Amino acid sequence: MTLTQLRYLVAIADAGLNITLAAERVHATQPGLSKQLRQLEDELGFLLFVRKGKSLDAVTHAGQHVLARARTVLGEVGNIRSLAANLRNEARGELRIATTHTQARFALPTAIAALNTLYPEVSVHLQPARDAEILAQLEAGRADLAVISTVGAPPSGGIALPAYRWQRLIVAPQGHPLAALKRPLTLDDLAAHPLVSYDSSRRPESSLRRAFEAVGLHPQIAMTAGDADLIKTYVRAGLGVGVLAEMALQAEDTDLRRLPAEHLLPACTTWLVLRRDAVLREYVLEFIARFAPHLDRRDVARALADAEPRDWPAVPHWRERSGPTLSVAA
Amino acid sequence: MTLTQLRYLVAIADAGLNITLAAERVHATQPGLSKQLRQLEDELGFLLFVRKGKSLDAVTHAGQHVLARARTVLGEVGNIRSLAANLRNEARGELRIATTHTQARFALPTAIAALNTLYPEVSVHLQPARDAEILAQLEAGRADLAVISTVGAPPSGGIALPAYRWQRLIVAPQGHPLAALKRPLTLDDLAAHPLVSYDSSRRPESSLRRAFEAVGLHPQIAMTAGDADLIKTYVRAGLGVGVLAEMALQAEDTDLRRLPAEHLLPACTTWLVLRRDAVLREYVLEFIARFAPHLDRRDVARALADAEPRDWPAVPHWRERSGPTLSVAA
DNA sequence: CGCGTTTACGTCGTTCGTAACGATA
DNA sequence: TATCGTTACGAACGACGTAAACGCG
């Protein structure tokens, strides 16, 4: 068993059992991977993949276990490398962030821009994914950092640092009946119109649905998208009333009427999630400091060491996020 | 970085920084280890050991971290190998048990003998150590299993399975004043005589000392040993009154008078401690089933998966440990 | 017929052991 | 002087890439 074999193994798994694709990703040739895989299987004495003809068809049950172990092995090897790179003050590296489209588009840019000026040799890789996949990406080692939002408790499966809190906004095109309301919006008002919101509100446990169901209402969700820009587009097209994150409404969206919904929908918290036992490169700490400036660097280090959540300083609201970091944006 | 390099690295650390000794243990040559170590250091870009002249003098601060990571890497690689060996129904293997002399001498033999008849090709390796070291051995991966006793809570740092409970006995030579007592023994009686007991009772937190100090007494400990046989020998020689585990007094010790001490000293629990996330070979589960027959095999598997202690069935007392397994002894 | 995997083969790099050297106590 | 680590060298192994063959859709 060699580290190369394990690396090839997870590359094949991550490439969807396509050896040729996996070979490209690890900068090696396809026969090389095939051979190493076979050797590993020979040494272990059982098949890691089920073959259908010549192709790989599925991961064996035993293969699942081996894969999981292999991932932690490679993770720890990566940790050793990070440790070394930190000691060496190595400026190059990469930062893979798994997150939602909303965060990537509206919340992360300033912090990433700031990071880029400080560490121009660090290549940032944003991996947009659906909520459920984000933490899986993190745990599988395909991301160094996850940025994800919840309504209540922090996400489990990693070390969660609270970044900021935010509210949802209701947006309607000018001239829409709701836009002309003189009184505060109610859930009944909303339930009377088709809604346009995020894909995640399709899930029955979504906080949007639950807010309605708590008072016996059933929202009519006309359409969902993963992307706030799409939501805004369809709201403009008159498809319905938009429900989206306040970060997603920018200064130039003057044609949309923004209706506060703090009194209707619970606040969300956006979390930075790190793998347990991960050694972070210096620039990752720098990024965290930019993205969540209210967190003391030592608090972050402690959270990583203790591997247990602790009491954090008050989490700022999105609107309160201070100017200095914002002005760094290119 | 290769697995070989990491294996050599921890071998050198475990050999007390003696490369020659480490080379023997990994069945390789000394120049080979030297070279691999240097290559690893070159790749990481810093020294793992501080050199004094040509010899290794200490582990670098960074080296400590790398060592810890390397151990978990090798542990996971071992887990993969165990997984494979289990699937293959491999009968060969080794079982390294870190434990105290008392357990090794009086509690483990029947279970080990039973294991040996079932799995003659498994070589059992007993590693006697002092209490504090035992769990360290386990966590460093130098043992597969720890057997250790506590008075109260289970030991932390691994998954603890309760094996059995036991009491301490007071032993005195025939003719000793205490041996002639007609009434139950008191702590005052004991405090009046020099005691001979285990090394662990030297520690101020030892349950023996605390039992005395709770009533304002200070025992006079004449001598300690790690070894019950030594304690018995010195009790016979008249050095003092012995305080030892009930398992240590056997049928042939007719010349010693045994005085119950349940009412004076708290009961002890002996635990089987496993590493978290360890893949156990089949024969280890078999051994556990022999040594702690009251534990359901599925409970053990669950405890390993959940990694959290749960409620165990009633833990038997040493005297109640059933006959069937005892009769298997060779 | 194209895509993807396996097989075959030649080259290169690396590891490993032996042997000699060097330093340290 | 004995012990332990380093350097040097040669042999053998193993990994890798190229090229061709094989199956499958």
Side-chain angles (χ1 to χ4, degrees):
Chain A
M1 196 183 318
T2 66
L3 286 179
T4 310
Q5 288 171 346
L6 298 182
R7 206 160 57 92
Y8 288 178
L9 170 65
V10 318
I12 292 172
D14 286 351
L17 277 51
N18 180 330
I19 301 187
T20 306
L21 176 57
E24 285 174 20
R25 293 198 184 158
V26 299
H27 305 293
T29 63
Q30 179 273 323
L33 269 74
S34 280
K35 191 162 194 183
Q36 292 300 319
L37 174 60
R38 170 167 300 275
Q39 286 189 1
L40 180 57
E41 287 181 326
D42 285 351
E43 177 178 343
L44 295 181
F46 57 87
L47 293 180
L48 294 165
F49 298 99
V50 205
R51 311 301 210 279
K52 188 156 98 180
K54 288 198 161 185
S55 307
L56 306 187
D57 191 42
V59 183
T60 311
H61 184 69
Q64 304 274 11
H65 287 150
V66 175
L67 257 170
R69 307 276 167 189
R71 284 190 203 280
T72 80
V73 166
L74 295 178
E76 289 293 357
V77 169
N79 279 338
I80 293 176
R81 290 218 169 86
S82 293
L83 217 77
N86 279 343
L87 280 178
R88 214 192 292 180
N89 280 323
E90 175 69 60
R92 278 175 305 180
E94 66 172 348
L95 173 56
R96 298 166 303 166
I97 306 177
T99 187
T100 60
H101 180 272
T102 301
Q103 300 296 331
R105 170 86 168 73
F106 303 104
L108 294 173
T110 56
I112 290 178
L115 179 70
N116 191 43
T117 60
L118 248 105
Y119 293 90
E121 296 196 274
V122 171
S123 78
V124 178
H125 200 56
L126 286 178
Q127 320 197 138
R130 272 174 284 114
D131 285 38
E133 288 169 19
I134 290 178
L135 290 176
Q137 299 257 345
L138 183 75
E139 287 185 61
R142 285 191 288 270
D144 306 305
L145 188 62
V147 180
I148 195 171
S149 304
T150 68
V151 165
S156 62
I159 298 170
L161 315 177
Y164 63 92
R165 290 163 61 76
W166 52 276
Q167 294 284 352
R168 275 162 286 193
L169 285 179
I170 311 299
V171 295
Q174 303 287 8
H176 190 280
L178 288 187
L181 267 190
K182 298 293 182 216
R183 54 175 173 76
L185 208 60
T186 67
L187 286 176
D188 288 278
D189 296 333
L190 279 180
H193 295 87
L195 301 183
V196 182
S197 188
Y198 295 105
D199 288 330
S200 60
S201 49
R202 286 201 182 281
R203 291 178 306 141
E205 337 83 72
S206 84
S207 64
L208 183 63
R209 295 189 96 94
R210 283 192 312 195
F212 279 92
E213 281 158 12
V215 294
L217 292 173
H218 293 277
Q220 181 204 340
I221 297 180
M223 168 186 162
T224 64
D227 181 329
D229 291 319
L230 281 177
I231 294 175
K232 286 190 277 186
T233 301
Y234 284 90
V235 168
R236 289 191 175 100
L239 213 79
V241 178
V243 182
L244 42 71
E246 61 176 304
M247 300 83 79
L249 212 64
Q250 296 181 302
E252 54 270 29
D253 295 319
T254 49
D255 57 333
L256 291 176
R257 185 69 192 277
R258 54 186 288 168
L259 306 167
E262 284 104 278
H263 55 300
L264 303 180
L265 300 171
C268 300
T269 306
T270 293
W271 306 86
L272 279 166
V273 192
L274 305 168
R275 254 195 315 279
R276 276 179 214 291
D277 299 320
V279 173
L280 299 186
R281 294 291 305 273
E282 266 308 318
Y283 55 76
V284 182
L285 289 174
E286 185 61 36
F287 173 81
I288 293 174
R290 299 285 171 168
F291 188 65
H294 65 291
L295 297 179
D296 185 20
R297 208 115 155 180
R298 276 160 302 193
D299 284 343
V300 175
R302 253 205 310 266
L304 277 170
D306 293 355
E308 272 314 312
R310 44 180 56 242
D311 288 337
W312 294 101
V315 185
H317 195 279
W318 168 256
R319 290 184 300 266
E320 302 157 15
R321 302 225 313 174
S322 46
T325 42
L326 288 171
S327 64
V328 179
Chain B
M1 195 183 318
T2 66
L3 287 178
T4 311
Q5 288 170 346
L6 298 182
R7 206 161 57 92
Y8 288 178
L9 171 64
V10 318
I12 292 173
D14 286 350
L17 278 51
N18 180 331
I19 301 187
T20 306
L21 176 57
E24 285 174 21
R25 293 198 185 158
V26 299
H27 306 293
T29 62
Q30 179 273 322
L33 270 74
S34 280
K35 193 163 194 184
Q36 292 299 320
L37 174 60
R38 171 167 297 275
Q39 286 189 1
L40 181 57
E41 287 180 328
D42 285 351
E43 178 178 343
L44 295 181
F46 57 87
L47 293 180
L48 294 165
F49 299 99
V50 278
R51 312 300 210 278
K52 189 155 97 181
K54 288 200 162 187
S55 306
L56 306 186
D57 191 43
V59 182
T60 310
H61 184 68
Q64 306 273 11
H65 286 150
V66 175
L67 256 170
R69 306 277 167 189
R71 285 191 203 280
T72 82
V73 166
L74 296 177
E76 288 293 355
V77 168
N79 280 338
I80 293 177
R81 291 216 168 88
S82 294
L83 217 77
N86 279 344
L87 280 179
R88 213 192 294 180
N89 282 322
E90 175 70 60
R92 279 175 304 181
E94 65 172 348
L95 173 55
R96 299 165 303 165
I97 306 177
T99 187
T100 59
H101 181 272
T102 301
Q103 300 296 333
R105 171 85 169 73
F106 302 104
L108 294 174
T110 58
I112 290 178
L115 179 70
N116 192 43
T117 61
L118 247 104
Y119 292 91
E121 295 196 274
V122 171
S123 80
V124 178
H125 200 56
L126 285 178
Q127 319 195 141
R130 271 173 285 114
D131 284 37
E133 288 169 19
I134 290 177
L135 290 176
Q137 299 256 345
L138 183 75
E139 287 185 63
R142 284 191 289 269
D144 306 305
L145 189 61
V147 180
I148 195 172
S149 304
T150 68
V151 166
S156 62
I159 296 170
L161 314 176
Y164 65 91
R165 291 165 60 77
W166 52 275
Q167 294 283 353
R168 277 162 284 194
L169 284 179
I170 310 299
V171 295
Q174 302 287 9
H176 189 280
L178 288 187
L181 265 192
K182 298 290 183 218
R183 55 175 173 76
L185 207 60
T186 66
L187 285 177
D188 288 278
D189 295 334
L190 280 181
H193 296 86
L195 302 183
V196 182
S197 188
Y198 295 105
D199 288 331
S200 60
S201 50
R202 287 200 181 280
R203 290 178 309 143
E205 336 84 72
S206 85
S207 64
L208 182 64
R209 296 189 94 96
R210 282 193 312 196
F212 279 94
E213 280 159 13
V215 295
L217 293 172
H218 293 276
Q220 182 204 340
I221 297 180
M223 169 183 161
T224 65
D227 182 332
D229 291 318
L230 281 177
I231 294 176
K232 286 190 277 185
T233 301
Y234 283 91
V235 167
R236 289 191 175 98
L239 212 78
V241 178
V243 182
L244 42 72
E246 60 176 304
M247 299 85 77
L249 212 64
Q250 296 180 302
E252 54 269 29
D253 295 319
T254 50
D255 56 333
L256 291 176
R257 184 69 193 277
R258 54 186 286 166
L259 306 168
E262 284 103 278
H263 55 301
L264 303 179
L265 300 172
C268 300
T269 305
T270 294
W271 306 86
L272 277 165
V273 192
L274 304 168
R275 253 197 315 280
R276 274 179 215 292
D277 298 321
V279 172
L280 299 186
R281 293 292 305 274
E282 267 308 319
Y283 55 76
V284 183
L285 289 175
E286 186 60 38
F287 173 81
I288 293 173
R290 300 283 170 170
F291 188 65
H294 66 291
L295 297 179
D296 184 21
R297 207 112 154 184
R298 276 160 302 195
D299 283 342
V300 175
R302 251 205 311 266
L304 276 170
D306 293 356
E308 271 314 311
R310 42 179 57 243
D311 288 337
W312 294 102
V315 184
H317 195 280
W318 168 256
R319 290 184 300 266
E320 302 156 13
R321 300 225 314 174
S322 47
T325 42
L326 287 172
S327 64
V328 179

